[in-house]
Amino acid sequence: MPQISPSPSLSPTLSNPPCHEAQKPAIDFNVMVIVAAMLCAFVCALGLNTTLQCAFQCTRRTISETIQWMVSRRQNSGLKKKEMVALPTSTYANPAGSPSSASGCAICLSDFLDGEKIRVLPKCNHRFHVTCIDKWLFSHSSCPTCRLRLKFSESVPSTDQIDCVL
């Protein structure tokens, strides 16, 4: 006679997942947290390294280039009042018959009018209103148009003289 197989019954052990399968996602999560922490530590170390390199370079530059910076600042400091008064001034007169060649002040950007006082810089022959160029020359010793230095004063110490003082 044919045998009838018993009907399958659900056993309590088969309905619950095995223990090792339930812990597998937890292990993956722990590995991901560790990798993320290591990545953050690496990025922080790179940032710290870059910051320290920048700080050392800036410190080295300020120590080695301070003297040259001081000399250049003193050379481009403004003119003294007696040096400024010694610069030639003239009265502007528009060349006869050529209104198209009217020039203007490069500082205030307005054209020269007949009879205005202008100052002509001796080394480059650029022309400016007296009031405009005087304000400029109080704080700079160069032409505002071409940056040609107007004074090469002997009163400015050389780098050798500054080294002796320091």
Side-chain angles (χ1 to χ4, degrees), residues 84-156:
M84 203 175 315
V85 172
L87 293 174
T89 60
S90 62
T91 303
Y92 180 77
N94 193 13
S98 63
S100 63
S101 67
S103 61
C105 177
I107 297 174
C108 68
L109 303 177
S110 64
D111 290 335
F112 296 127
L113 301 174
D114 286 335
E116 283 186 321
K117 287 283 204 183
I118 60 171
R119 190 176 300 276
V120 180
L121 300 182
K123 293 186 178 183
C124 59
N125 293 325
H126 287 120
R127 300 180 293 176
F128 306 96
H129 291 115
V130 172
T131 55
C132 296
I133 195 63
D134 285 353
K135 286 178 188 175
W136 173 267
L137 291 176
F138 271 128
S139 59
H140 302 85
S141 61
S142 60
C143 172
T145 303
C146 65
R147 297 294 186 180
L148 183 66
R149 213 170 263 151
L150 298 177
K151 71 172 183 177
F152 294 100
S153 176
E154 292 79 25
S155 64
V156 176

Side-chain angles (χ1 to χ4, degrees), residues 39-56:
L39 183 64
C40 286
F42 180 71
V43 168
C44 289
L46 282 177
L48 181 62
N49 181 33
T50 304
T51 303
L52 289 175
Q53 281 182 352
C54 182
F56 288 136

Side-chain angles (χ1 to χ4, degrees), residues 14-34:
L14 292 178
S15 65
N16 292 335
C19 292
H20 63 86
E21 287 181 12
Q23 290 180 350
K24 188 171 182 173
I27 293 173
D28 289 339
F29 178 73
N30 289 340
V31 170
M32 288 175 45
V33 167
I34 291 171

